[in-house]
């Protein structure tokens, strides 16, 4: 991502507030990145840009050297896949939801992988024929993650994906994804407000604040006590949000 900027638009479609500007970052090898920052800084927007679900005002994105403009967005999203903050279930059963990805992308449905992921996330008690819309918030969140993992992307863009989960279920998600990184060599960028989780799941931290993105090695970032980090980066003083 090079020199990427984004403004919020008003009802008339005119830029009303600069969210962030001139963000330049590069991932050159499989990485585990935690993306943190106060509410409203633009973390979700940044992930959505990376999945080509939204477009920057300026700057460019490249995947394997190829500019996003020259790439089929559907192909791009199979490589860099976004898991939304609010899980949205498609009409039909849990299994219909899991199969959707292969139907949309014309790939074979990997039932074995789906069953393994359901088990790893503690969802094997669910009847695959159950209506997805009847699932709990935490179940939907995990089904939505599995649906995306069935794409077998190389980069996962994870937006507060454990926000509705109990501690044990959240740990299972962490184990699944850190295992996926070390075994499959995938990268993730994981938005979280939980700094203890950020410490567990990352080697590198991206902080969004004041309209910019700052990168820190995990080891040095977490050498400071977590409550001090939270004060500084998650609950900034009034007036420090981007104008
Ligand atoms: N489509 C949109 N139209 C207008 N404003 C938007 C739109 N999308 C996002 N915004 C605004 O942009 C700002 C950043 O939103 P974003 O969702 O990226 O923040 P965030 O850092 O993910 O926050 P949170 O931690 O609460 O999830 C917010 O002020 C939000 O209201
Ligand atoms: Mg968000």
């Amino acid at each position: 991502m090079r020199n990427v900027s984004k403004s919020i638009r008003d009802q008339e479609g005119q830029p009303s507030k600069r969210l962030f500007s001139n963000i330049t970052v590069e991932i050159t090898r499989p990485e585990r990145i935690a993306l943190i920052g106060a509410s409203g800084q633009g973390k979700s927007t940044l992930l959505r840009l990376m999945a080509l679900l939204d477009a920057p005002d300026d700057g460019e994105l490249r995947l394997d050297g190829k500019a996003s403009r020259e790439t089929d967005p559907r192909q791009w999203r199979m490589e860099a896949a976004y898991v939304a903050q609010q899980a949205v279930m498609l009409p039909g059963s849990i299994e219909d939801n899991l199969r959707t990805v292969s139907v949309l992308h014309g790939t074979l449905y990997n039932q074995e992988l789906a069953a393994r992921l359901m088990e790893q996330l503690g969802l094997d008690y669910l009847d695959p024929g159950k209506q997805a819309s009847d699932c709990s918030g935490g179940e939907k969140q995990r089904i939505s993650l599995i649906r995306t993992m069935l794409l077998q992307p190389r980069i996962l863009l994870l937006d507060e994906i454990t926000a509705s989960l109990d501690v044990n279920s959240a740990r299972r998600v962490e184990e699944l994804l850190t295992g996926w990184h070390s075994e499959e060599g995938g990268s993730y960028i994981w938005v979280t407000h939980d700094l203890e989780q950020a410490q567990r799941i990352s080697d590198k931290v991206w902080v969004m604040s004041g309209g910019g993105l700052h990168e820190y090695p995990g080891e040095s970032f977490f050498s400071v006590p977590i409550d001090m980090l939270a004060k500084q980066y998650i609950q900034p003083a009034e007036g420090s949000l981007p104008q």
Side-chain angles (χ1 to χ4, degrees):
M1 184 177 259
R2 191 183 301 156
N3 289 329
V4 164
S5 303
K6 183 75 181 168
S7 293
I8 298 172
R9 293 178 186 273
D10 62 19
Q11 312 266 5
E12 280 84 48
Q14 296 303 312
S16 63
K17 179 177 107 173
R18 180 51 70 99
L19 203 49
F20 47 76
S21 42
N22 293 317
I23 290 186
T24 298
V25 280
E26 188 175 20
I27 298 176
T28 53
R29 59 188 171 85
E31 291 209 274
R32 306 186 307 161
I33 298 166
L35 175 53
I36 66 167
S39 201
Q41 291 283 329
K43 303 179 298 296
S44 296
T45 306
L46 190 74
L47 288 196
R48 290 175 54 78
L49 289 181
M50 289 182 167
L52 306 190
L53 294 166
D54 196 353
D57 298 329
D58 290 300
E60 64 166 13
L61 291 104
R62 287 178 176 271
L63 190 59
D64 293 334
K66 205 167 169 204
S68 57
R69 289 186 296 279
E70 298 157 10
T71 313
D72 173 6
R74 214 174 52 162
Q75 194 62 38
W76 179 290
R77 282 180 215 129
M78 282 178 73
E79 306 275 351
Y82 176 68
V83 184
Q85 196 164 352
Q86 308 281 346
V88 178
M89 293 291 101
L90 302 162
S93 66
I94 294 173
E95 185 168 359
D96 291 336
N97 267 267
L98 298 182
R99 283 182 181 274
T100 307
V101 159
S102 48
V103 172
L104 279 177
H105 291 276
T107 54
L108 214 60
Y109 176 58
N110 190 337
Q111 182 142 26
E112 198 191 313
L113 179 60
R116 197 167 73 233
L117 293 170
M118 289 291 278
E119 193 199 330
Q120 278 179 287
L121 293 189
L123 293 176
D124 43 340
Y125 66 89
L126 282 174
D127 171 3
K130 184 185 169 91
Q131 283 300 301
S133 55
D134 291 340
C135 290
S136 75
E139 288 166 347
K140 286 179 186 164
Q141 206 159 28
R142 284 172 286 170
I143 292 166
S144 147
L145 172 64
I146 293 170
R147 196 171 56 189
T148 303
M149 289 189 82
L150 287 171
L151 269 175
Q152 299 188 264
R154 286 186 295 146
I155 305 170
L156 279 168
L157 305 163
L158 308 168
D159 204 349
E160 299 192 44
I161 54 159
T162 61
S164 327
L165 299 185
D166 63 79
V167 176
N168 284 337
S169 304
R171 288 299 180 105
R172 278 176 179 251
V173 171
E174 292 174 12
E175 279 161 24
L176 175 72
L177 290 165
T178 50
W180 171 78
H181 162 81
S182 53
E183 284 151 32
E184 312 269 332
S187 294
Y188 56 69
I189 302 168
W190 187 332
V191 174
T192 179
H193 288 284
D194 176 349
L195 288 175
E196 283 169 3
Q197 177 175 66
Q199 184 169 22
R200 285 193 298 273
I201 56 87
S202 72
D203 304 306
K204 190 181 265 188
V205 181
W206 289 356
V207 178
M208 271 204 118
S209 70
L213 189 72
H214 313 274
E215 185 175 289
Y216 303 91
E219 216 168 288
S220 61
F221 187 81
F222 290 109
S223 64
V224 177
I226 285 211
D227 52 341
M228 283 174 66
L229 291 173
K231 261 198 201 112
Q232 191 168 354
Y233 298 113
I234 309 272
Q235 309 136 0
E238 281 293 308
S240 67
L241 291 173
Q243 297 305 304

